[in-house]
Amino acid sequence: MSENTDRYENAVARYFEAWNAGDPEALTKAVAAAWSVEGTYTDPLAAVTGHTEIAALIAGAHEQFPGFAFRPLGAVDGHHDTARFAWELVSEADGSAPVAGFDVITLDADGRIRSVLGFLDRVPAGA
């Protein structure tokens, strides 16, 4: 496994730690570990910048989908400072996955996320 592959996988692991953080303090720490201070997150439903806005976006997803967790689908693929990966939002109660997509991230020199461009492949009606 190359050094860059480890870099991408580590960044994506921190990304999922942030999206699955269970309480506000853990979420704040996980977002700071995953994103650079000026980091961004953009998908069809949101465009936010900075740790506070990213944490609020993640908290809102947990409010909309209580009892769900984000899980990676497949391998992380990357080159230079860019990586992509697929994910799904899975119910911890029944294993259903009503939301799925893929994200493209760019990393800073420290391996923290500079930007996320998210794409939604499956979204329930009314979400």
Side-chain angles (χ1 to χ4, degrees):
M1 184 176 292
S2 76
E3 179 180 325
N4 278 339
T5 299
D6 288 345
R7 182 173 180 239
Y8 307 137
E9 290 181 357
N10 289 338
V12 171
R14 288 191 307 273
Y15 176 85
F16 281 105
E17 287 174 19
W19 276 96
N20 290 318
D23 64 70
E25 184 178 340
L27 176 56
T28 298
K29 288 179 181 179
V31 167
W35 270 269
S36 64
V37 172
E38 68 284 349
T40 63
Y41 177 92
T42 305
D43 70 18
L45 305 174
V48 297
T49 301
H51 292 174
T52 301
E53 290 182 9
I54 293 167
L57 175 72
I58 293 171
H62 285 281
E63 289 174 12
Q64 186 175 3
F65 294 96
F68 283 75
F70 287 88
R71 302 283 186 245
L73 286 175
V76 176
D77 181 31
H79 62 81
H80 297 87
D81 290 331
T82 305
R84 66 179 177 165
F85 55 94
W87 54 266
E88 63 184 353
L89 184 60
V90 180
S91 168
E92 296 171 347
D94 65 13
S96 64
V99 183
F102 77 92
D103 292 348
V104 176
I105 62 173
T106 57
L107 304 177
D108 67 11
D110 295 327
R112 290 171 49 200
I113 298 169
R114 203 171 40 218
S115 70
V116 176
L117 296 175
F119 296 83
L120 302 172
D121 297 324
R122 183 173 62 239
V123 179

